[in-house]
């Protein structure tokens, strides 16, 4: 048995076989160590796998977003079999003794350039598709996230690092836990692990020999036991059983109010990243969705999700929540959340860069598609819209103006657009300082403590070296939270917290005393928070 240490993202235990995840190699090497025939066979196997994936994606899209939107996957299936394309791949493999990866990516580039140079707009648009299928093939050839590399048996996934877009593409039902070498505990990948209730460790030094071995991931003690001794395995299984019992005990709190001993009641909502998380929201009896990180829909897509595709997902979430509030945060892409098709340039300081509302107010057509989808979905339940990364009154006014423009367009088209409550994330020091003015513009504030901590303390939340300095309990952060709550209340806004700090049980009392109206946390954190709230007595002096 060997023991390795790291930093825990979620207290919990995972036991199972390790599977090492390798990133798709985009820097494909030319020369192959295999024969041309072997490389061609690799290509054919990847081609068959890609066909299988595309057939699955077509079926899923057909059910979720209708035939028109699903058709793209059929086009991709046809392209994969296109003789000109496959002949070009074969020729590069044979003539240049190249790897299948190199042959595919070169062919993809060549065909994309050829399509882009054509006069016909339809053919020009095929450039993106041919790049897409080539990337899919390269991913499969090199074992990337969407290669379907997770088999039938659930595993503990071990990787150098995982980006949010890789994480959302993984089949969660096959994941027992995550272990990564890099990454920070405040990253979106860590947040996803918490949402999915998957034990995770970062900063672990692993090697290739781990693949296939049994491991115990002990989130409580920040360590991994590789090939655990029999006694240790038994004690960990017992601990895991106790965890399950604790979770079962918490179930007794379902349908109970979030009320303190002296009668103060607040909302406890849940944060989600996609429609699939709504089941967790209901299982954990959250009173609503306090943060729907809509950008994950974009990260999980091959191209800009259409208004129709978004509408159908928002509607599904809103209908499932059956009248309970659903706060949809508009696209917060950029920084660590990158979707290739946005073509965002590499930036020196991505956290301070072109992201979130800044992209939306610049690329208005993308934003309007989302706003139209939200407005349409709002006819099916209770929807609030929330703008991220706001720093000024001007931005809020511009965003609201676009919202109203979308409403007018929808009504003119004879469509229904429901009423939506409008709010902003308060996650920049500028928004805190302007809270009185901003509160005049909106109906609610939601404190994004993850970014607020990053920008207040000038600490990159993605940088693992700074984890020790990233202190969301810093008095400056707590003062900002208090200031925001007070300013919001002065102007009739309700104020919530949707950053990770909302789930911090050691701060629940502080937040309640500050007068917070809502705490929105990852679904598994709802019932422990309810338990904590119900144990507090705010009438006692501290
Ligand atoms: C935050 O910044 O606190 C927040 C909730 O948003 P995100 O973590 O997605 O940036
Ligand atoms: Mg944020």
């Amino acid at each position: 048995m060997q023991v390795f240490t790291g930093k825990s993202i979620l207290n919990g235990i995972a036991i199972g076989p390790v599977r090492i995840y390798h990133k798709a190699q985009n820097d494909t090497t030319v020369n192959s160590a295999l024969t041309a025939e072997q490389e061609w066979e690799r290509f054919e196997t990847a081609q068959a796998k890609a066909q299988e994936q595309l057939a699955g994606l077509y079926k899923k899209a057909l059910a979720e977003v209708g035939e028109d939107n699903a058709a793209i996957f059929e086009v991709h299936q046809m392209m994969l079999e296109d003789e000109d394309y496959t002949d070009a791949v074969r020729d590069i493999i044979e003539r240049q003794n190249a790897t299948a990866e190199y042959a595919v990516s070169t062919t993809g580039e060549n065909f994309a350039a050829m399509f882009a140079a054509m006069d016909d707009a339809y053919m020009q648009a095929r450039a993106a598709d041919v790049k897409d299928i080539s990337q899919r093939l390269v991913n499969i050839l090199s074992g990337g996230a969407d290669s379907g590399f997770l088999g039938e048996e659930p595993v503990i996934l071990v990787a150098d690092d995982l980006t949010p877009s890789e994480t959302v593409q993984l089949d969660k039902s096959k994941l027992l836990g995550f272990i990564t070498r890099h990454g920070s505990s405040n990253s979106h990948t860590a947040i996803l692990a918490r949402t999915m209730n998957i034990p995770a460790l970062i900063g672990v030094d692993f090697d290739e020999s781990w693949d296939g071995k049994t491991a115990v991931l002990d989130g409580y003690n920040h360590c991994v036991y590789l090939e655990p001794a029999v006694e240790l395995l038994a004690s960990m299984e017992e601990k895991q059983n106790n965890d399950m019992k604790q979770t079962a005990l918490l179930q007794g709190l379902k349908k109970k109010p979030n009320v303190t001993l002296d009668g103060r009641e607040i909302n406890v909502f849940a944060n989600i990243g996609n429609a699939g998380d709504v089941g967790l929201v209901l299982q954990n009896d959250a009173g609503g969705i306090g943060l729907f990180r809509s950008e994950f829909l974009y990260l999980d897509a091959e191209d800009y999700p259409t208004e129709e595709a978004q509408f159908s997902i928002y509607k599904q979430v809103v209908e499932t929540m059956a009248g309970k509030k659903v706060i949809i945060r508009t696209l917060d892409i950029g920084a660590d959340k990158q979707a290739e098709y946005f073509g965002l340039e590499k930036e020196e300081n991505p956290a301070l860069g072109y992201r979130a509302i800044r992209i939306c107010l610049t690329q208005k057509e993308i934003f309007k598609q989302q706003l139209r989808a939200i407005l349409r979905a709002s006819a099916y339940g209770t929807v609030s819209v929330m703008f991220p990364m706001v720093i000024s009154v001007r931005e809020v006014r511009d965003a609201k103006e676009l919202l109203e423009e979308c409403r007018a367009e929808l009504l003119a088209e004879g469509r229904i657009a429901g009423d939506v409550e409008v709010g902003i994330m308060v996650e920049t020091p500028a928004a805190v300082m302007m809270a009185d003015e901003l509160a005049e513009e909106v109906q609610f504030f939601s404190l994004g403590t993850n970014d607020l901590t990053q920008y207040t303390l000038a600490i990159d939340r993605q940088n693992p070296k700074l984890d020790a300095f990233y202190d969301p309990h810093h008095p400056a952060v707590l003062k900002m939270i208090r200031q925001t709550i007070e300013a919001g209340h002065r102007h009739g806004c309700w104020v919530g917290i949707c950053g990770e700090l909302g789930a911090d049980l050691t701060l629940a009392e502080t937040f309640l005393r500050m007068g917070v109206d809502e705490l929105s946390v990852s679904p598994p954190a709802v019932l422990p928070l309810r338990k904590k709230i119900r144990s507090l007595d705010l009438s006692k002096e501290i």
Side-chain angles (χ1 to χ4, degrees):
M1 176 171 90
Q2 285 175 291
V3 188
F4 300 83
T5 53
K7 182 155 189 226
S8 177
I9 297 295
L10 183 101
N11 287 340
I13 291 172
I15 304 173
V18 164
R19 186 88 168 83
I20 297 186
Y21 163 71
H22 297 284
K23 272 192 197 306
Q25 294 300 324
N26 286 329
D27 54 335
T28 44
T29 45
V30 187
N31 290 333
S32 171
L34 306 176
T35 65
E37 220 29 63
Q38 285 168 324
E39 285 294 350
W40 178 247
E41 269 170 32
R42 288 184 67 229
F43 170 77
E44 284 186 317
T45 310
Q47 190 189 27
K49 180 97 217 166
Q51 283 293 8
E52 220 177 89
Q53 285 178 4
L54 288 164
L57 285 169
Y58 176 75
K59 239 165 101 188
K60 189 165 171 257
L62 192 64
E64 289 174 4
V65 293
E67 202 169 338
D68 285 355
N69 291 303
I72 186 68
F73 297 115
E74 273 189 326
V75 173
H76 284 195
Q77 280 181 294
M78 282 186 302
M79 279 184 143
L80 259 184
E81 300 296 333
D82 181 79
E83 256 184 47
D84 291 333
Y85 181 83
T86 51
D87 283 353
V89 172
R90 182 162 201 144
D91 193 63
I92 294 176
I93 288 178
E94 287 175 353
R95 208 179 290 275
Q96 303 183 37
N97 183 30
T99 61
E101 286 90 333
Y102 176 81
V104 166
S105 68
T106 307
T107 305
E109 290 298 326
N110 292 344
F111 274 57
M114 175 183 76
F115 284 132
M118 289 181 176
D119 288 337
D120 182 305
Y122 177 82
M123 295 311 285
Q124 283 172 359
R126 301 284 72 79
D129 294 319
V130 78
K131 270 195 182 165
D132 207 322
I133 60 157
S134 307
Q135 185 59 51
R136 179 177 298 283
L137 286 166
V138 172
N139 281 354
I140 293 170
L141 284 161
S142 49
D146 55 356
S147 62
F149 81 108
L150 288 176
E152 280 310 302
E153 192 189 11
V155 293
I156 297 177
L157 186 115
V158 176
D160 268 335
D161 199 0
L162 285 170
T163 64
S165 70
E166 284 168 326
T167 314
V168 289
Q169 288 181 38
L170 293 167
D171 178 354
K172 281 91 194 162
S173 67
K174 306 283 165 54
L175 284 183
L176 299 168
F178 280 110
I179 297 172
T180 63
R181 192 189 308 278
H182 307 295
S184 104
S185 48
N186 311 299
S187 67
H188 285 96
T189 302
I191 290 172
L192 280 170
R194 281 186 213 115
T195 304
M196 299 184 291
N197 205 16
I198 292 178
L201 278 188
I202 57 171
V204 179
D205 195 19
F206 65 89
D207 65 48
E208 291 296 316
S209 72
W210 287 34
D211 205 30
K213 290 184 178 161
T214 300
V216 173
L217 189 172
D218 180 356
Y220 293 101
N221 294 309
H222 306 261
C223 63
V224 192
Y225 304 94
L226 198 63
E227 301 189 301
V230 182
E231 314 80 60
L232 182 110
L233 192 61
S235 83
M236 286 293 156
E237 279 167 349
E238 196 183 326
K239 225 167 161 183
Q240 207 177 26
N241 280 335
N242 283 340
D243 279 356
M244 283 183 210
K245 281 190 202 140
Q246 285 303 322
T247 311
L249 273 181
L250 283 171
Q251 298 298 304
L253 286 175
K254 280 184 162 183
K255 304 288 166 227
K256 300 245 166 86
N258 307 300
V259 64
T260 59
L261 293 170
D262 55 316
R264 166 92 206 283
E265 190 165 357
I266 70 158
N267 286 324
V268 176
F269 287 3
N271 297 344
I272 65 165
N274 59 50
D277 296 336
V278 180
L280 290 172
V281 175
L282 298 179
Q283 269 167 35
N284 290 286
D285 194 33
I289 292 172
L291 170 63
F292 181 172
R293 288 183 163 94
S294 69
E295 58 277 5
F296 286 113
L297 305 183
Y298 291 73
L299 297 184
D300 200 15
E302 313 260 326
D303 203 344
Y304 295 103
T306 60
E307 174 188 325
E308 216 47 45
Q310 291 190 61
F311 164 65
S312 110
I313 290 166
Y314 300 148
K315 175 171 171 277
Q316 186 192 332
V317 171
V318 170
E319 280 179 342
T320 314
M321 289 303 288
K324 289 185 179 147
K325 189 176 283 195
V326 177
I327 303 179
I328 303 176
R329 171 175 77 189
T330 58
L331 183 59
D332 186 8
I333 205 126
D336 63 320
K337 289 177 282 195
Q338 295 284 343
E340 247 182 54
Y341 56 86
F342 269 81
L344 298 177
E345 281 169 23
K346 251 194 150 22
E347 295 179 318
E348 284 286 317
N349 291 301
L352 307 180
Y354 186 54
R355 54 173 297 197
I357 191 90
R358 302 168 186 178
I359 295 182
C360 291
L361 293 177
T362 311
Q363 291 172 253
K364 294 199 174 83
E365 282 316 307
I366 298 174
F367 194 27
K368 280 181 71 178
Q369 282 199 352
Q370 177 170 46
L371 294 176
R372 283 172 59 98
I374 294 173
L375 283 170
R376 286 172 59 195
S378 68
Y380 297 83
T382 311
V383 173
S384 307
V385 66
M386 171 159 84
F387 305 121
M389 282 294 292
V390 163
I391 56 168
S392 72
V393 170
R394 178 79 265 147
E395 290 166 340
V396 182
R397 290 198 183 142
D398 287 351
K400 283 199 310 185
E401 208 173 291
L402 285 172
L403 187 69
E404 285 321 305
E405 201 174 301
C406 290
R407 180 190 303 284
E409 280 173 16
L410 287 169
L411 296 178
E413 291 163 20
R415 291 181 189 269
I416 308 170
D419 283 329
V420 289
E421 188 187 37
V422 176
I424 58 165
M425 304 250 337
V426 175
E427 53 184 343
T428 62
V432 177
M433 299 312 287
M434 298 299 291
D436 280 294
E437 288 81 356
L438 289 165
E440 291 288 334
E441 300 292 326
V442 294
Q443 285 134 303
F444 70 96
F445 284 160
S446 190
L447 279 146
T449 51
N450 310 333
D451 277 319
L452 188 58
T453 306
Q454 147 164 276
Y455 297 124
T456 303
L457 304 184
I459 287 182
D460 177 0
R461 68 193 259 198
Q462 292 296 118
N463 187 339
K465 276 206 205 91
L466 301 178
D467 264 6
F469 295 93
Y470 181 97
D471 174 16
H473 289 209
H474 192 292
V477 177
L478 296 177
K479 264 190 182 177
M480 293 226 174
I481 294 173
R482 179 189 294 279
Q483 234 172 285
T484 306
I485 296 172
E486 287 173 357
H489 287 174
R490 271 198 291 278
H491 300 270
C493 275
W494 65 263
V495 184
I497 298 178
C498 64
E500 296 295 287
L501 208 56
D504 188 329
L505 299 182
T506 66
L507 284 175
E509 179 163 2
T510 308
F511 293 149
L512 279 155
R513 287 185 184 275
M514 286 181 183
V516 77
D517 303 289
E518 175 242 32
L519 294 169
S520 191
V521 299
S522 65
V526 168
L527 293 175
L529 183 57
R530 177 170 301 165
K531 184 168 177 220
K532 179 73 193 179
I533 292 168
R534 291 171 65 83
S535 73
L536 297 174
D537 186 352
L538 304 179
S539 67
K540 285 196 188 140
E541 290 294 322
I542 43 168

